[in-house]
Amino acid sequence: MPTTNSIADAIQACLPLQHKTNNKNDLLKKKESSDASTEASDDANEIRAGVTNRSSLCDVSISMTIQNMLTLDPENMTYTAMFEIDFKYRLKDYIDLFQLHDKELDAENFQFPFIICNTVETEELRSNHFFRVCDENTKASDVSMYGDPINVKSRLTNENDVSKAIKCEKYCLVGTYRYHSNGTHQPFDEIFTFFKIATDGRPGTEYLTLKFHDDDSSFVAFRKQVRDYVAVDDPVALDVDMSHEYNESSGPTYPRVYLFQRFRHRSLEDFLKFYLLPSCLPILLIFSAQDNGSDSIIETVALSSGLILSDIALLFVNDSPDLTFSEQSLIFNLAYLIFGSIFSSIIGDTNSISEKYRFSVIVVVTLSMPLSMLLAMYHRYIAEKDNKAIVNYLKKQNFDKLKD
């Protein structure tokens, strides 16, 4: 039979730290009246100590309002946005999980420990904290940040309200964030803008569950055109569990929520600039081929040299560090123009323009545009195939394939 002292020690160990007392006799007197609460606390401690797979002791509802997409920087693969992010959770679960019983019941004393992983820089413009006192069975996802202020409190004066309170907090942020894209696909590229919301990894956060609340979110600004990129479909929210080692499956996992929006490049302008226009330039060679003068072939070669220089100038328009599809098109047209000019000059007579020369120039000019269009179709096919694969990887949460 266990002794009275051993029972008192066991009870004291199960209780939260701030409720412990050195008076074991007092604890024994209170045992019968607080049997139910002690068993509940004991169960919670057993879950926290003994679970190997991640279990939820506090459900957190996340919602977002995208106010404005300010800028897009393809060179650095970043975008700047102004947005609001909201967190809602049951106050009692949060206090029990992080052992915050000694905190005053002021709304600003409880703040969710979040970070945005793909941040370059972020500025907090303002924040708002309050409690909604609801029924004890009300879930955080059932509560809205907006609407009726009757049950809203900034401070709880009655401890009985702790079990009924849903903590609501809103942060208004403006910042620069990295996005995912394959820059070599320009001008048929797509970008995937992310908000990667995670916890700061403090002890206890592995027992949180993050769920995105669509009904409390607004993505109007996320669907608007940014520069020459237009939104494709609606934003997609992903609930993710990820270990501390990122790729390792061992050890605790931590909850994250990823919100991404797909944007497609409006490629018409770049298509005209880098595919159609260079393929049309050889047409000018036909005019010199109609001249029967003795210097006509030399004039044709000189004209070809000028056209080559114009293509080279277009190469410097693109600042991408990678060899993009648009630059590949320019290089192809340069090589084709050089080859066509040399081929026609070899066939022609140095003293006069022959029929063979005229025919070779016409062939070179005629084939220039179809070949350039075939190259554009091939580039677009490759880009669309890769972009669809990225969407598939995201939906399956295969971030290793994205290398992101």
Side-chain angles (χ1 to χ4, degrees):
M1 291 289 292
T3 64
T4 303
N5 289 338
S6 64
I7 294 174
D9 290 336
I11 295 170
Q12 191 171 0
C14 292
L15 291 172
L17 184 61
Q18 70 276 13
H19 291 163
K20 289 183 181 180
T21 174
N22 292 326
N23 192 332
K24 298 177 182 177
N25 292 327
D26 289 344
L27 280 172
L28 287 172
K29 292 178 182 178
K30 294 178 182 179
K31 179 180 182 297
E32 293 182 359
S33 61
S34 61
D35 226 10
S37 61
T38 303
E39 288 177 6
S41 177
D42 186 46
D43 289 341
N45 284 321
E46 286 180 7
I47 290 173
R48 293 179 60 187
V51 168
T52 54
N53 296 322
R54 194 171 70 80
S55 298
S56 174
L57 295 183
C58 183
D59 295 333
V60 181
S61 177
I62 298 178
S63 55
M64 294 184 69
T65 300
I66 312 300
Q67 298 287 6
N68 200 354
M69 291 285 288
L70 300 175
T71 60
L72 194 68
D73 185 0
E75 183 176 352
N76 295 313
M77 295 180 67
T78 61
Y79 69 98
T80 302
M82 177 184 175
F83 63 99
E84 296 174 353
I85 183 169
D86 311 324
F87 300 96
K88 294 166 290 186
Y89 47 86
R90 293 194 63 84
L91 181 62
K92 183 180 184 304
D93 294 342
Y94 190 85
I95 289 175
D96 290 343
L97 177 60
F98 293 106
Q99 295 294 290
L100 301 176
H101 299 85
D102 57 338
K103 288 276 190 181
E104 294 185 8
L105 299 177
D106 191 299
E108 294 193 358
N109 289 339
F110 303 93
Q111 298 187 20
F112 185 76
F114 78 98
I115 58 173
I116 301 177
C117 302
N118 58 320
T119 298
V120 177
E121 58 180 355
T122 299
E123 178 185 356
E124 181 180 316
L125 302 180
R126 59 177 175 80
S127 62
N128 186 16
H129 301 264
F130 59 89
F131 300 115
R132 280 197 183 275
V133 181
C134 308
D135 185 82
E136 290 187 6
N137 296 322
T138 302
K139 298 179 180 179
S141 57
D142 297 333
V143 173
S144 175
M145 293 291 299
Y146 311 97
D148 195 349
I150 294 176
N151 62 346
V152 171
K153 296 183 179 181
S154 60
R155 183 181 179 87
L156 298 179
T157 56
N158 187 350
E159 290 192 4
N160 293 329
D161 288 340
V162 173
S163 60
K164 302 177 182 179
I166 302 292
K167 170 63 196 305
C168 303
E169 51 194 75
K170 177 187 289 289
Y171 301 91
C172 183
L173 307 172
V174 60
T176 302
Y177 307 92
R178 288 189 59 81
Y179 64 74
H180 181 86
S181 181
N182 190 336
T184 60
H185 291 165
Q186 293 180 18
F188 306 111
D189 59 311
E190 293 185 0
I191 64 174
F192 296 83
T193 57
F194 280 93
F195 289 105
K196 298 182 178 181
I197 305 160
T199 65
D200 62 4
R202 68 182 61 181
T205 52
E206 65 270 29
Y207 297 105
L208 293 168
T209 295
L210 306 185
K211 295 294 182 182
F212 202 83
H213 191 183
D214 291 295
D215 294 339
D216 233 18
S217 302
S218 176
F219 307 121
V220 176
F222 230 5
R223 299 186 182 99
K224 293 182 178 179
Q225 179 174 337
V226 186
R227 287 186 51 169
D228 47 354
Y229 289 85
V230 293
V232 180
D233 300 325
D234 292 327
V236 177
L238 302 173
D239 299 324
V240 180
D241 286 331
M242 192 171 290
S243 69
H244 179 66
E245 296 298 330
Y246 193 88
N247 293 324
E248 299 294 331
S249 58
S250 60
T253 59
Y254 296 84
R256 293 187 177 193
V257 167
Y258 287 1
L259 179 71
F260 77 88
Q261 174 65 60
R262 181 182 179 187
F263 288 88
R264 180 172 295 152
H265 194 174
R266 296 186 66 178
S267 56
L268 179 60
E269 179 182 344
D270 286 340
F271 169 78
L272 296 175
K273 187 188 302 180
F274 295 107
Y275 288 89
L276 186 60
L277 179 60
S279 67
C280 292
L281 291 178
I283 294 176
L284 298 175
L285 297 177
I286 293 178
F287 297 101
S288 62
Q290 301 302 318
D291 187 2
N292 290 320
S294 60
D295 296 331
S296 294
I297 293 181
I298 297 175
E299 291 174 0
T300 302
V301 173
L303 178 59
S304 298
S305 301
L307 297 178
I308 289 169
L309 289 175
S310 65
D311 282 344
I312 292 175
L314 274 173
L315 281 173
F316 292 96
V317 173
N318 198 334
D319 296 329
S320 174
D322 303 313
L323 185 64
T324 64
F325 283 171
S326 56
E327 290 172 329
Q328 291 177 28
S329 174
L330 286 175
I331 293 172
F332 168 79
N333 280 282
L334 278 170
Y336 181 79
L337 189 57
I338 292 171
F339 169 79
S341 300
I342 294 175
F343 175 74
S344 300
S345 300
I346 291 174
I347 290 178
D349 191 341
T350 56
N351 295 321
S352 62
I353 293 182
S354 63
E355 292 300 323
K356 289 183 179 180
Y357 177 78
R358 289 193 179 95
F359 178 75
S360 65
V361 170
I362 291 173
V363 170
V364 168
V365 171
T366 304
L367 291 178
S368 176
M369 188 177 296
L371 289 174
S372 186
M373 296 305 102
L374 286 174
L375 181 63
M377 292 171 62
Y378 173 72
H379 282 168
R380 183 163 187 171
Y381 167 77
I382 294 297
E384 288 183 350
K385 182 180 177 181
D386 287 353
N387 291 329
K388 288 178 181 178
I390 291 173
V391 173
N392 194 36
Y393 293 148
L394 286 171
K395 290 182 178 179
K396 292 182 178 180
Q397 299 187 12
N398 193 342
F399 302 109
D400 293 338
K401 293 287 186 180
L402 293 178
K403 298 179 181 179
D404 193 7

PDB file of all heavy atoms in Angstrom, residues 70 80-83 121-125 172-177:
ATOM      1  N   LEU A  70       2.409  45.225 -53.387  1.00  0.00           N
ATOM      2  CA  LEU A  70       3.016  46.518 -53.705  1.00  0.00           C
ATOM      3  C   LEU A  70       3.988  46.445 -54.879  1.00  0.00           C
ATOM      4  O   LEU A  70       3.856  47.194 -55.840  1.00  0.00           O
ATOM      5  CB  LEU A  70       3.727  47.053 -52.459  1.00  0.00           C
ATOM      6  CG  LEU A  70       2.823  47.263 -51.236  1.00  0.00           C
ATOM      7  CD1 LEU A  70       3.645  47.663 -50.024  1.00  0.00           C
ATOM      8  CD2 LEU A  70       1.758  48.307 -51.537  1.00  0.00           C
ATOM      9  N   THR A  80       6.793  42.457 -52.431  1.00  0.00           N
ATOM     10  CA  THR A  80       6.458  43.251 -51.253  1.00  0.00           C
ATOM     11  C   THR A  80       4.945  43.353 -51.141  1.00  0.00           C
ATOM     12  O   THR A  80       4.259  43.615 -52.134  1.00  0.00           O
ATOM     13  CB  THR A  80       7.065  44.660 -51.345  1.00  0.00           C
ATOM     14  OG1 THR A  80       8.488  44.544 -51.492  1.00  0.00           O
ATOM     15  CG2 THR A  80       6.778  45.473 -50.091  1.00  0.00           C
ATOM     16  N   ALA A  81       4.438  43.103 -49.929  1.00  0.00           N
ATOM     17  CA  ALA A  81       2.990  43.083 -49.728  1.00  0.00           C
ATOM     18  C   ALA A  81       2.635  43.675 -48.377  1.00  0.00           C
ATOM     19  O   ALA A  81       3.431  43.661 -47.437  1.00  0.00           O
ATOM     20  CB  ALA A  81       2.454  41.653 -49.823  1.00  0.00           C
ATOM     21  N   MET A  82       1.413  44.203 -48.307  1.00  0.00           N
ATOM     22  CA  MET A  82       0.829  44.642 -47.047  1.00  0.00           C
ATOM     23  C   MET A  82      -0.336  43.711 -46.747  1.00  0.00           C
ATOM     24  O   MET A  82      -1.192  43.482 -47.608  1.00  0.00           O
ATOM     25  CB  MET A  82       0.338  46.085 -47.149  1.00  0.00           C
ATOM     26  CG  MET A  82      -0.354  46.597 -45.893  1.00  0.00           C
ATOM     27  SD  MET A  82      -1.002  48.272 -46.108  1.00  0.00           S
ATOM     28  CE  MET A  82      -1.844  48.503 -44.552  1.00  0.00           C
ATOM     29  N   PHE A  83      -0.372  43.151 -45.543  1.00  0.00           N
ATOM     30  CA  PHE A  83      -1.399  42.166 -45.227  1.00  0.00           C
ATOM     31  C   PHE A  83      -1.662  42.129 -43.726  1.00  0.00           C
ATOM     32  O   PHE A  83      -0.910  42.697 -42.924  1.00  0.00           O
ATOM     33  CB  PHE A  83      -0.972  40.775 -45.707  1.00  0.00           C
ATOM     34  CG  PHE A  83       0.256  40.243 -45.030  1.00  0.00           C
ATOM     35  CD1 PHE A  83       0.161  39.338 -43.987  1.00  0.00           C
ATOM     36  CD2 PHE A  83       1.526  40.646 -45.431  1.00  0.00           C
ATOM     37  CE1 PHE A  83       1.292  38.847 -43.354  1.00  0.00           C
ATOM     38  CE2 PHE A  83       2.664  40.159 -44.804  1.00  0.00           C
ATOM     39  CZ  PHE A  83       2.547  39.264 -43.767  1.00  0.00           C
ATOM     40  N   GLU A 121      12.468  41.078 -45.111  1.00  0.00           N
ATOM     41  CA  GLU A 121      12.305  42.076 -44.053  1.00  0.00           C
ATOM     42  C   GLU A 121      10.820  42.317 -43.827  1.00  0.00           C
ATOM     43  O   GLU A 121      10.018  42.249 -44.756  1.00  0.00           O
ATOM     44  CB  GLU A 121      13.027  43.392 -44.395  1.00  0.00           C
ATOM     45  CG  GLU A 121      12.574  44.026 -45.700  1.00  0.00           C
ATOM     46  CD  GLU A 121      13.302  45.318 -45.989  1.00  0.00           C
ATOM     47  OE1 GLU A 121      14.080  45.754 -45.116  1.00  0.00           O
ATOM     48  OE2 GLU A 121      13.097  45.887 -47.071  1.00  0.00           O
ATOM     49  N   THR A 122      10.455  42.577 -42.575  1.00  0.00           N
ATOM     50  CA  THR A 122       9.050  42.786 -42.213  1.00  0.00           C
ATOM     51  C   THR A 122       8.947  43.909 -41.196  1.00  0.00           C
ATOM     52  O   THR A 122       9.781  44.021 -40.299  1.00  0.00           O
ATOM     53  CB  THR A 122       8.431  41.512 -41.614  1.00  0.00           C
ATOM     54  OG1 THR A 122       8.469  40.466 -42.577  1.00  0.00           O
ATOM     55  CG2 THR A 122       6.979  41.750 -41.214  1.00  0.00           C
ATOM     56  N   GLU A 123       7.907  44.727 -41.334  1.00  0.00           N
ATOM     57  CA  GLU A 123       7.622  45.794 -40.372  1.00  0.00           C
ATOM     58  C   GLU A 123       6.196  45.629 -39.868  1.00  0.00           C
ATOM     59  O   GLU A 123       5.265  45.473 -40.661  1.00  0.00           O
ATOM     60  CB  GLU A 123       7.789  47.165 -41.028  1.00  0.00           C
ATOM     61  CG  GLU A 123       7.476  48.327 -40.106  1.00  0.00           C
ATOM     62  CD  GLU A 123       7.524  49.673 -40.794  1.00  0.00           C
ATOM     63  OE1 GLU A 123       7.874  49.713 -41.997  1.00  0.00           O
ATOM     64  OE2 GLU A 123       7.194  50.686 -40.140  1.00  0.00           O
ATOM     65  N   GLU A 124       6.033  45.657 -38.554  1.00  0.00           N
ATOM     66  CA  GLU A 124       4.691  45.573 -37.965  1.00  0.00           C
ATOM     67  C   GLU A 124       4.120  46.984 -37.843  1.00  0.00           C
ATOM     68  O   GLU A 124       4.678  47.840 -37.163  1.00  0.00           O
ATOM     69  CB  GLU A 124       4.749  44.908 -36.595  1.00  0.00           C
ATOM     70  CG  GLU A 124       3.384  44.770 -35.935  1.00  0.00           C
ATOM     71  CD  GLU A 124       3.446  44.101 -34.571  1.00  0.00           C
ATOM     72  OE1 GLU A 124       4.169  43.092 -34.443  1.00  0.00           O
ATOM     73  OE2 GLU A 124       2.795  44.607 -33.630  1.00  0.00           O
ATOM     74  N   LEU A 125       3.001  47.218 -38.508  1.00  0.00           N
ATOM     75  CA  LEU A 125       2.374  48.535 -38.493  1.00  0.00           C
ATOM     76  C   LEU A 125       1.494  48.721 -37.262  1.00  0.00           C
ATOM     77  O   LEU A 125       1.469  49.797 -36.667  1.00  0.00           O
ATOM     78  CB  LEU A 125       1.547  48.736 -39.763  1.00  0.00           C
ATOM     79  CG  LEU A 125       2.298  48.618 -41.097  1.00  0.00           C
ATOM     80  CD1 LEU A 125       1.355  48.843 -42.266  1.00  0.00           C
ATOM     81  CD2 LEU A 125       3.457  49.616 -41.154  1.00  0.00           C
ATOM     82  N   CYS A 172      -0.953  43.684 -38.425  1.00  0.00           N
ATOM     83  CA  CYS A 172      -0.891  44.318 -39.747  1.00  0.00           C
ATOM     84  C   CYS A 172       0.578  44.511 -40.101  1.00  0.00           C
ATOM     85  O   CYS A 172       1.311  45.222 -39.392  1.00  0.00           O
ATOM     86  CB  CYS A 172      -1.625  45.654 -39.736  1.00  0.00           C
ATOM     87  SG  CYS A 172      -1.673  46.451 -41.353  1.00  0.00           S
ATOM     88  N   LEU A 173       1.012  43.861 -41.180  1.00  0.00           N
ATOM     89  CA  LEU A 173       2.423  43.822 -41.535  1.00  0.00           C
ATOM     90  C   LEU A 173       2.634  44.301 -42.961  1.00  0.00           C
ATOM     91  O   LEU A 173       1.768  44.150 -43.822  1.00  0.00           O
ATOM     92  CB  LEU A 173       2.968  42.388 -41.412  1.00  0.00           C
ATOM     93  CG  LEU A 173       2.754  41.661 -40.078  1.00  0.00           C
ATOM     94  CD1 LEU A 173       3.172  40.208 -40.198  1.00  0.00           C
ATOM     95  CD2 LEU A 173       3.539  42.346 -38.965  1.00  0.00           C
ATOM     96  N   VAL A 174       3.791  44.869 -43.210  1.00  0.00           N
ATOM     97  CA  VAL A 174       4.245  45.146 -44.570  1.00  0.00           C
ATOM     98  C   VAL A 174       5.676  44.636 -44.655  1.00  0.00           C
ATOM     99  O   VAL A 174       6.487  44.874 -43.757  1.00  0.00           O
ATOM    100  CB  VAL A 174       4.157  46.652 -44.916  1.00  0.00           C
ATOM    101  CG1 VAL A 174       5.007  47.502 -43.983  1.00  0.00           C
ATOM    102  CG2 VAL A 174       4.547  46.893 -46.377  1.00  0.00           C
ATOM    103  N   GLY A 175       5.965  43.899 -45.707  1.00  0.00           N
ATOM    104  CA  GLY A 175       7.297  43.301 -45.780  1.00  0.00           C
ATOM    105  C   GLY A 175       7.619  42.782 -47.164  1.00  0.00           C
ATOM    106  O   GLY A 175       6.787  42.778 -48.074  1.00  0.00           O
ATOM    107  N   THR A 176       8.858  42.333 -47.291  1.00  0.00           N
ATOM    108  CA  THR A 176       9.365  41.752 -48.532  1.00  0.00           C
ATOM    109  C   THR A 176       9.631  40.277 -48.294  1.00  0.00           C
ATOM    110  O   THR A 176      10.262  39.910 -47.296  1.00  0.00           O
ATOM    111  CB  THR A 176      10.658  42.463 -48.970  1.00  0.00           C
ATOM    112  OG1 THR A 176      10.394  43.861 -49.143  1.00  0.00           O
ATOM    113  CG2 THR A 176      11.181  41.893 -50.279  1.00  0.00           C
ATOM    114  N   TYR A 177       9.169  39.447 -49.233  1.00  0.00           N
ATOM    115  CA  TYR A 177       9.218  37.998 -49.045  1.00  0.00           C
ATOM    116  C   TYR A 177       9.701  37.326 -50.335  1.00  0.00           C
ATOM    117  O   TYR A 177       9.440  37.822 -51.436  1.00  0.00           O
ATOM    118  CB  TYR A 177       7.830  37.460 -48.659  1.00  0.00           C
ATOM    119  CG  TYR A 177       7.253  38.187 -47.477  1.00  0.00           C
ATOM    120  CD1 TYR A 177       6.438  39.305 -47.655  1.00  0.00           C
ATOM    121  CD2 TYR A 177       7.554  37.803 -46.180  1.00  0.00           C
ATOM    122  CE1 TYR A 177       5.935  40.008 -46.571  1.00  0.00           C
ATOM    123  CE2 TYR A 177       7.046  38.493 -45.089  1.00  0.00           C
ATOM    124  CZ  TYR A 177       6.244  39.592 -45.295  1.00  0.00           C
ATOM    125  OH  TYR A 177       5.761  40.293 -44.227  1.00  0.00           O
TER     126      TYR A 177
END
